[in-house]
Amino acid sequence: MNANQPIKRIAIFGSTGSIGTQALEVIEANTDKFSVEVLTAHNNDELLITQAKKFNPNIVVIGDDKKYNSVKEALSDTDVKVFAGEKALEEVAAMDCYDLMLAAIVGYAGLRPTLKAIDNGKAIALANKETLVVAGDIIMRKAVEKRIPIIPVDSEHSAIFQCLVGETRNRIEKIILTASGGPFIGRKPNYLVNVKREHALQHPNWSMGAKITIDSATLMNKGLEMIEAKWLFNLKPEQIQVVIHPQSIIHSMVQFEDGSIKAQLGLPDMKLPIQYALAFPGRIKNDFTRMDFKKISTLTFEEPDVKTFRNLGLAQTALEKAGNLPCIMNAANEIAVFAFLRNRINFLDMTDLIEKTMNTIPFIEKPTLEEYFESDGEARNFAADLIKL
Ligand code: NAD
Ligand code: MG
């Protein structure tokens, strides 16, 4: 990065999560390049307070109103402004005090603040893939109108983004999204029906928040990522291929129209794509563990088992039919994962719930933003009612 560049003012929406905390590690190591202006958390007031005391942001937002007093009191001897509630997330997203939003809230809850940030011309480092799954057309259209970059943080999309640097004139034949396969790779439904939440939360390669870890175990994560890739890179469904690569070393690939394939490789460590997104278009020297080819002698690839991991098939349908179907799928999936994490339904029930919801909520080919909001609510209510949540 150019040493003379001004300090980039960062707002981390979802600072107490897996992505948020790793982003703060990156920023801590680069205080000459980044400052922390906004931190937000849903209900982890203790961690938010600790982060605020350490990074001295301009503003913190605690999503849960009931935690306002605790945060306000703990920060009373600082200059940090404290806000609370869902609406405050949007209001703060619209403020002038920062340059780049790291969108690291999990799920649909990240959509509205991110929209506000784009409307106000902020650059976005996007971890929250659900935002693009729900309303990718609107997000990307607004980003083009406002001439702001949406820089992916998701490791696969960061890999593709990095492969595309310098290739603006060249056509993509297809992208190859790699998937670790999760903890249940090779397993069949008779095994999956009995897996418990503790087991599903053990990802072999990545340490992440609970929702994305379950999504990785069901392969819904890869389904969401196909839709995310479609919007980020303006692709047709048939240009997106998923390959199981259990070592998680190749983070994804781009095949150009001459057949040449570019890949981005590295150890599975989210700090690298986070740092890349914060620093883009530059790169920053760091001391992250380097990959050693003497230790990694085998890279393998296989077809995903879509008969067992049916979520991938559902996501393929959503990707192809488009309209509000990805939004419906995402809402049902959020309910399904929530219920699974509370031991209310079993591992395979999640897919049935998503499928039923996708088959029931009315299809809209070209939804408005309001219609996306409505579809999300309808799908959530329908799915929650089905399992009496
Ligand atoms: P996490 O559960 O660890 O953290 C989520 C953050 O969002 C927390 O700060 C939490 O306070 C906040 N949050 C949760 N619900 C909220 C709500 N209703 N309103 C406001 N804030 C809320 O999640 P994570 O693993 O850090 O993932 C964040 C996003 O990044 C997800 O969309 C995920 O798919 C994506 N992502 C994560 C990883 C990873 O390695 N963790 C990798 C790629 C993409
Ligand atoms: Mg990913």
Side-chain angles (χ1 to χ4, degrees):
M1 244 177 129
N2 183 339
N4 298 324
Q5 288 214 330
I7 288 194
K8 229 184 247 181
R9 300 170 306 163
I10 312 290
I12 306 183
F13 277 63
S15 66
T16 53
S18 161
I19 293 288
T21 50
Q22 293 180 84
L24 284 171
E25 285 180 46
V26 169
I27 293 175
E28 193 178 358
N30 294 284
T31 46
D32 55 331
K33 300 180 180 69
F34 307 115
S35 70
V36 178
E37 295 301 321
V38 178
L39 295 173
T40 87
H42 189 44
N43 52 24
N44 190 346
D45 52 342
E46 276 182 33
L47 183 53
L48 184 67
I49 291 163
T50 308
Q51 292 178 339
K53 287 189 171 163
K54 183 165 180 183
F55 291 93
N56 193 30
N58 198 339
I59 294 169
V60 298
V61 185
I62 180 86
D64 182 351
D65 293 316
K66 293 190 287 301
K67 301 277 175 77
Y68 173 78
N69 284 338
S70 124
V71 180
K72 180 81 187 151
E73 212 161 286
L75 300 177
S76 57
D77 57 351
T78 70
D79 297 334
V80 182
K81 298 183 204 71
V82 181
F83 296 89
E86 236 174 78
K87 271 274 152 239
L89 285 173
E90 288 184 63
E91 284 159 19
V92 171
M95 287 182 183
D96 283 335
C97 62
Y98 72 98
D99 305 308
L100 177 141
M101 170 192 276
L102 173 62
I105 288 177
V106 59
Y108 175 84
L111 174 63
R112 288 175 194 255
T114 306
L115 278 168
K116 270 281 172 326
I118 297 173
D119 282 338
N120 286 280
K122 308 296 184 180
I124 308 288
L126 189 75
N128 179 278
K129 63 192 84 185
E130 295 90 345
T131 287
L132 284 179
V133 173
V134 172
D137 54 341
I138 293 179
I139 294 276
M140 295 314 287
R141 197 177 62 231
K142 279 177 183 278
V144 169
E145 273 165 27
K146 293 281 173 186
R147 296 169 188 243
I148 54 118
I150 308 263
I151 310 152
V153 169
D154 213 348
S155 58
E156 295 77 1
H157 306 74
S158 175
I160 293 163
F161 192 84
Q162 293 181 54
C163 291
L164 291 174
V165 169
E167 303 277 5
T168 41
R169 288 158 179 265
N170 295 324
R171 295 247 315 264
I172 299 172
E173 198 162 82
K174 67 174 180 183
I175 61 157
I176 301 142
L177 278 180
T178 52
S180 71
F184 305 133
I185 184 169
R187 300 293 189 177
K188 295 293 169 195
N190 60 354
Y191 176 90
L192 294 176
V193 71
N194 292 317
V195 301
K196 295 284 166 275
R197 95 190 256 288
E198 286 65 35
H199 195 179
L201 282 170
Q202 299 299 318
H203 194 280
N205 304 343
W206 300 95
S207 160
M208 311 177 284
K211 194 249 175 191
I212 182 175
T213 306
I214 301 302
D215 283 346
S216 299
T218 64
L219 290 204
M220 179 53 92
N221 184 49
K222 215 45 56 179
L224 299 174
E225 289 183 358
M226 290 196 289
I227 300 167
E228 180 186 14
K230 164 181 153 169
W231 294 118
L232 281 171
F233 307 115
N234 194 17
L235 300 169
K236 298 198 175 66
E238 57 273 21
Q239 290 176 290
I240 303 169
Q241 184 189 349
V242 171
V243 169
I244 303 289
H245 167 48
Q247 297 82 16
S248 297
I249 294 295
I250 296 183
H251 296 308
S252 279
M253 301 176 250
V254 179
Q255 180 171 317
F256 294 93
E257 57 182 352
D258 61 354
S260 182
I261 298 175
K262 272 180 155 181
Q264 186 262 339
L265 286 71
L267 293 174
D269 178 355
M270 282 309 293
K271 287 214 291 292
L272 189 51
I274 291 169
Q275 177 182 291
Y276 185 81
L278 295 184
F280 180 79
R283 288 185 186 270
I284 303 176
K285 187 175 162 58
N286 61 33
D287 60 1
F288 303 165
T289 310
R290 269 31 179 179
M291 201 174 97
D292 180 352
F293 275 101
K294 292 195 286 302
K295 290 191 186 134
I296 299 161
S297 55
T298 321
L299 299 179
T300 60
F301 306 94
E302 56 193 271
E303 282 278 300
D305 176 0
V306 285
K307 283 211 178 84
T308 303
F309 295 93
R310 291 200 305 119
N311 277 357
L312 205 52
L314 294 178
Q316 182 77 38
T317 303
L319 170 77
E320 284 164 12
K321 274 193 87 180
N324 63 342
L325 202 54
C327 168
I328 294 166
M329 179 188 77
N330 177 71
N333 181 55
E334 289 192 19
I335 296 292
V337 172
F338 179 88
F340 175 74
L341 283 171
R342 276 151 194 81
N343 301 313
R344 299 287 295 272
I345 59 175
N346 80 39
F347 192 83
L348 296 178
D349 290 339
M350 287 193 276
T351 307
D352 294 336
L353 186 64
I354 298 163
E355 189 173 36
K356 280 193 188 122
T357 311
M358 288 171 72
N359 288 337
T360 305
I361 303 303
F363 178 69
I364 306 173
E365 199 177 341
K366 287 210 181 320
T368 61
L369 185 56
E370 244 352 278
E371 285 170 328
Y372 279 127
F373 295 154
E374 282 161 20
S375 298
D376 173 83
E378 282 174 47
R380 245 165 238 279
N381 290 339
F382 176 81
D385 279 355
L386 265 188
I387 52 173
K388 304 191 173 34
L389 208 60

